[in-house]
Amino acid sequence: MNTRVNDEPAASSLTEQAYAVLRDRLVMLEIKPGEPINEERLRTELGVGRTPIREALKRLEQERLVVAYPRRGTFATDVNISDLSHISEVRRTLEPLAAAAAAERATAEDRAALTELRSRLDTAPPSGDNTELLRVDVGVHRSIYGCVHNPFLEDTLISYDNLATRIWCVFLPRLSGMAGHVDEHVPLLTAIVEGDSKKASELALQHVVGFERAIRALI
């Protein structure tokens, strides 16, 4: 009985580890849309058992990143550009809400972390690597979501940002101005750090609308 209880945190940690690695590979299209998920290879690569992998895949299926078919296996979901309007509709509502909430609720520790992040963005030389810029974009979004201090909203925000990022990845080779898109985070982070919820909300909305406009220009 005691052994089972003591093993639960370890099992949960392994599932989270597998989930985080798989999620980010799927989001960045390192696992291509439609590609089968090889559980055995992942077990070997990540050094975890069958259960953590399968628990992680169940969660990823709920987040629309993988799809499981009876007797066929589990596959990375396709990226459907037709989903852009639906994803953007949700993000146009939730991203400004989250930015305003972050400005109001961020702790002193949160604000210090965002200030450091803003400083790194502001002083870093422009990168010509769109993939790396997109990773930075994802990281900034997740940092802001954490300052909302609402785990339900945070999970929802991350899920939709992941879906939007997969669409970005499809168009990365053709995108220009990606550095400018990431630079938009500097004034947004400033507004949150300074507790200006109205400004933060406005900037977050502009950021989401800009994303949709940039993708539609390439369709």
Side-chain angles (χ1 to χ4, degrees):
M1 184 72 167
N2 287 339
T3 300
R4 184 178 303 165
V5 170
N6 290 338
D7 281 348
E8 285 177 358
S12 176
S13 176
L14 289 172
T15 297
E16 283 296 321
Q17 175 189 330
Y19 165 78
V21 171
L22 281 169
R23 176 197 64 192
D24 289 348
R25 289 182 183 179
L26 289 159
V27 167
M28 298 302 298
L29 303 192
E30 292 172 10
I31 300 176
K32 303 298 182 187
E35 185 177 328
I37 306 298
N38 188 318
E39 292 187 27
E40 291 301 317
R41 185 171 64 196
L42 286 170
R43 286 176 58 196
T44 301
E45 186 178 345
L46 301 180
V48 300
R50 180 177 288 107
T51 299
I53 295 292
R54 293 195 171 172
E55 290 299 317
L57 288 174
K58 285 180 186 177
R59 184 172 169 186
L60 291 164
E61 186 171 20
Q62 292 174 345
E63 296 175 4
R64 300 174 183 265
L65 293 176
V66 302
V67 59
Y69 298 104
R71 296 180 297 280
R72 285 184 56 199
T74 303
F75 300 79
T77 54
D78 290 329
V79 177
N80 295 313
I81 305 307
S82 59
D83 291 336
L84 176 62
S85 60
H86 300 304
I87 294 168
S88 295
E89 182 178 23
V90 175
R91 296 185 74 225
R92 284 195 301 270
T93 300
L94 294 187
E95 291 282 348
L97 173 68
E104 294 168 357
R105 301 174 188 172
T107 64
E109 184 178 353
D110 290 335
R111 295 181 201 279
L114 293 184
T115 298
E116 182 181 346
L117 177 57
R118 179 186 62 186
S119 178
R120 292 202 304 271
L121 289 176
D122 210 16
T123 58
S127 172
D129 185 342
N130 275 356
T131 300
E132 183 55 36
L133 285 167
L134 191 54
R135 290 186 194 280
V136 171
D137 183 78
V138 170
V140 173
H141 279 270
R142 291 178 184 172
S143 296
I144 292 171
Y145 303 156
C147 296
V148 175
H149 297 288
N150 178 333
F152 299 98
L153 180 55
E154 182 178 3
D155 286 348
T156 302
L157 288 160
I158 290 174
S159 179
Y160 279 94
D161 187 56
N162 288 341
L163 296 174
T165 300
R166 295 186 88 218
I167 294 176
W168 264 121
C169 284
V170 170
F171 290 94
L172 271 184
R174 297 165 54 196
L175 278 170
S176 61
M178 188 67 195
H181 180 81
V182 174
D183 286 344
E184 291 175 6
H185 290 306
V186 173
L188 174 57
L189 290 170
T190 297
I192 293 172
V193 169
E194 294 178 353
D196 189 339
S197 59
K198 184 174 184 296
K199 186 67 173 177
S201 177
E202 291 171 352
L203 290 170
L205 179 59
Q206 290 173 21
H207 187 70
V208 173
V209 170
F211 157 75
E212 184 176 7
R213 187 181 297 121
I215 295 300
R216 290 198 180 282
L218 297 174
I219 295 177

